[in-house]
mmCIF file of all heavy atoms in Angstrom:
data_model
loop_
_atom_site.group_PDB
_atom_site.id
_atom_site.type_symbol
_atom_site.label_atom_id
_atom_site.label_comp_id
_atom_site.label_asym_id
_atom_site.label_seq_id
_atom_site.Cartn_x
_atom_site.Cartn_y
_atom_site.Cartn_z
ATOM 1 N N GLU A 240 66.887 94.057 73.700
ATOM 2 C CA GLU A 240 65.995 93.834 72.562
ATOM 3 C C GLU A 240 64.550 94.159 72.926
ATOM 4 O O GLU A 240 63.819 94.768 72.131
ATOM 5 C CB GLU A 240 66.109 92.387 72.095
ATOM 6 C CG GLU A 240 65.258 92.062 70.871
ATOM 7 C CD GLU A 240 65.378 90.615 70.480
ATOM 8 O OE1 GLU A 240 64.612 89.794 71.034
ATOM 9 O OE2 GLU A 240 66.246 90.303 69.645
ATOM 10 N N SER A 241 64.130 93.779 74.118
ATOM 11 C CA SER A 241 62.765 94.062 74.549
ATOM 12 C C SER A 241 62.517 95.558 74.676
ATOM 13 O O SER A 241 61.433 96.046 74.341
ATOM 14 C CB SER A 241 62.478 93.361 75.884
ATOM 15 O OG SER A 241 62.538 91.962 75.732
ATOM 16 N N VAL A 242 63.507 96.298 75.169
ATOM 17 C CA VAL A 242 63.375 97.758 75.264
ATOM 18 C C VAL A 242 63.256 98.363 73.874
ATOM 19 O O VAL A 242 62.426 99.241 73.626
ATOM 20 C CB VAL A 242 64.571 98.351 76.023
ATOM 21 C CG1 VAL A 242 64.561 99.875 75.936
ATOM 22 C CG2 VAL A 242 64.544 97.912 77.478
ATOM 23 N N ARG A 243 64.069 97.889 72.943
ATOM 24 C CA ARG A 243 64.036 98.430 71.583
ATOM 25 C C ARG A 243 62.702 98.154 70.898
ATOM 26 O O ARG A 243 62.215 98.949 70.106
ATOM 27 C CB ARG A 243 65.184 97.829 70.771
ATOM 28 C CG ARG A 243 65.258 98.331 69.337
ATOM 29 C CD ARG A 243 66.526 97.844 68.651
ATOM 30 N NE ARG A 243 66.650 96.403 68.673
ATOM 31 C CZ ARG A 243 66.063 95.592 67.777
ATOM 32 N NH1 ARG A 243 65.314 96.092 66.812
ATOM 33 N NH2 ARG A 243 66.248 94.295 67.848
ATOM 34 N N LEU A 244 62.084 97.012 71.225
ATOM 35 C CA LEU A 244 60.823 96.621 70.582
ATOM 36 C C LEU A 244 59.612 96.898 71.476
ATOM 37 O O LEU A 244 58.544 96.304 71.275
ATOM 38 C CB LEU A 244 60.866 95.135 70.224
ATOM 39 C CG LEU A 244 61.936 94.717 69.206
ATOM 40 C CD1 LEU A 244 61.964 93.213 69.055
ATOM 41 C CD2 LEU A 244 61.679 95.381 67.859
ATOM 42 N N ALA A 245 59.771 97.795 72.455
ATOM 43 C CA ALA A 245 58.677 98.053 73.394
ATOM 44 C C ALA A 245 57.431 98.575 72.684
ATOM 45 O O ALA A 245 56.299 98.188 73.013
ATOM 46 C CB ALA A 245 59.137 99.047 74.464
ATOM 47 N N GLU A 246 57.615 99.446 71.704
ATOM 48 C CA GLU A 246 56.464 99.995 70.974
ATOM 49 C C GLU A 246 55.728 98.893 70.222
ATOM 50 O O GLU A 246 54.490 98.787 70.283
ATOM 51 C CB GLU A 246 56.926 101.075 70.001
ATOM 52 C CG GLU A 246 55.776 101.779 69.292
ATOM 53 C CD GLU A 246 56.258 102.874 68.363
ATOM 54 O OE1 GLU A 246 57.348 102.716 67.759
ATOM 55 O OE2 GLU A 246 55.558 103.889 68.241
ATOM 56 N N GLU A 247 56.473 98.039 69.518
ATOM 57 C CA GLU A 247 55.843 96.943 68.776
ATOM 58 C C GLU A 247 55.150 95.971 69.730
ATOM 59 O O GLU A 247 54.079 95.427 69.415
ATOM 60 C CB GLU A 247 56.902 96.200 67.950
ATOM 61 C CG GLU A 247 57.395 96.966 66.726
ATOM 62 C CD GLU A 247 58.486 97.956 67.061
ATOM 63 O OE1 GLU A 247 58.718 98.202 68.267
ATOM 64 O OE2 GLU A 247 59.110 98.506 66.128
ATOM 65 N N ALA A 248 55.752 95.740 70.906
ATOM 66 C CA ALA A 248 55.134 94.839 71.872
ATOM 67 C C ALA A 248 53.789 95.367 72.341
ATOM 68 O O ALA A 248 52.826 94.600 72.531
ATOM 69 C CB ALA A 248 56.065 94.638 73.068
ATOM 70 N N GLN A 249 53.706 96.692 72.512
ATOM 71 C CA GLN A 249 52.429 97.296 72.904
ATOM 72 C C GLN A 249 51.395 97.160 71.785
ATOM 73 O O GLN A 249 50.240 96.814 72.031
ATOM 74 C CB GLN A 249 52.651 98.783 73.234
ATOM 75 C CG GLN A 249 53.424 99.039 74.507
ATOM 76 C CD GLN A 249 52.565 98.891 75.752
ATOM 77 O OE1 GLN A 249 51.356 98.680 75.654
ATOM 78 N NE2 GLN A 249 53.186 98.963 76.909
ATOM 79 N N VAL A 250 51.810 97.423 70.566
ATOM 80 C CA VAL A 250 50.871 97.407 69.440
ATOM 81 C C VAL A 250 50.357 96.007 69.160
ATOM 82 O O VAL A 250 49.152 95.788 68.948
ATOM 83 C CB VAL A 250 51.540 98.003 68.180
ATOM 84 C CG1 VAL A 250 50.639 97.813 66.961
ATOM 85 C CG2 VAL A 250 51.843 99.478 68.397
ATOM 86 N N PHE A 251 51.264 95.014 69.159
ATOM 87 C CA PHE A 251 50.892 93.661 68.770
ATOM 88 C C PHE A 251 50.561 92.761 69.965
ATOM 89 O O PHE A 251 50.339 91.562 69.804
ATOM 90 C CB PHE A 251 52.026 93.016 67.963
ATOM 91 C CG PHE A 251 52.269 93.690 66.641
ATOM 92 C CD1 PHE A 251 53.394 94.482 66.453
ATOM 93 C CD2 PHE A 251 51.375 93.546 65.591
ATOM 94 C CE1 PHE A 251 53.623 95.107 65.241
ATOM 95 C CE2 PHE A 251 51.602 94.174 64.375
ATOM 96 C CZ PHE A 251 52.721 94.955 64.198
ATOM 97 N N GLY A 252 50.550 93.336 71.174
ATOM 98 C CA GLY A 252 50.200 92.540 72.339
ATOM 99 C C GLY A 252 51.185 91.420 72.622
ATOM 100 O O GLY A 252 50.792 90.326 73.030
ATOM 101 N N ALA A 253 52.480 91.693 72.399
ATOM 102 C CA ALA A 253 53.506 90.661 72.576
ATOM 103 C C ALA A 253 54.217 90.772 73.917
ATOM 104 O O ALA A 253 55.274 90.184 74.117
ATOM 105 C CB ALA A 253 54.525 90.744 71.443
ATOM 106 N N GLY A 254 53.635 91.540 74.847
ATOM 107 C CA GLY A 254 54.287 91.719 76.137
ATOM 108 C C GLY A 254 54.501 90.418 76.875
ATOM 109 O O GLY A 254 55.564 90.191 77.470
ATOM 110 N N HIS A 257 57.432 88.545 75.461
ATOM 111 C CA HIS A 257 58.693 89.149 75.897
ATOM 112 C C HIS A 257 58.989 88.769 77.350
ATOM 113 O O HIS A 257 60.136 88.475 77.704
ATOM 114 C CB HIS A 257 58.629 90.675 75.755
ATOM 115 C CG HIS A 257 58.890 91.158 74.364
ATOM 116 N ND1 HIS A 257 60.148 91.260 73.831
ATOM 117 C CD2 HIS A 257 58.043 91.561 73.385
ATOM 118 C CE1 HIS A 257 60.087 91.716 72.595
ATOM 119 N NE2 HIS A 257 58.802 91.902 72.291
ATOM 120 N N ARG A 503 64.529 109.272 72.616
ATOM 121 C CA ARG A 503 63.180 108.890 73.021
ATOM 122 C C ARG A 503 62.401 110.073 73.591
ATOM 123 O O ARG A 503 61.338 109.908 74.175
ATOM 124 C CB ARG A 503 63.235 107.760 74.061
ATOM 125 C CG ARG A 503 63.855 106.479 73.530
ATOM 126 C CD ARG A 503 63.902 105.408 74.598
ATOM 127 N NE ARG A 503 62.578 105.032 75.051
ATOM 128 C CZ ARG A 503 61.816 104.108 74.454
ATOM 129 N NH1 ARG A 503 62.266 103.475 73.379
ATOM 130 N NH2 ARG A 503 60.623 103.816 74.921
#
Side-chain angles (χ1 to χ4, degrees):
E240 182 182 87
S241 296
V242 171
R243 181 172 56 84
L244 297 174
E246 185 178 34
E247 287 83 349
Q249 290 281 355
V250 172
F251 294 107
H257 279 281
R503 297 179 62 86

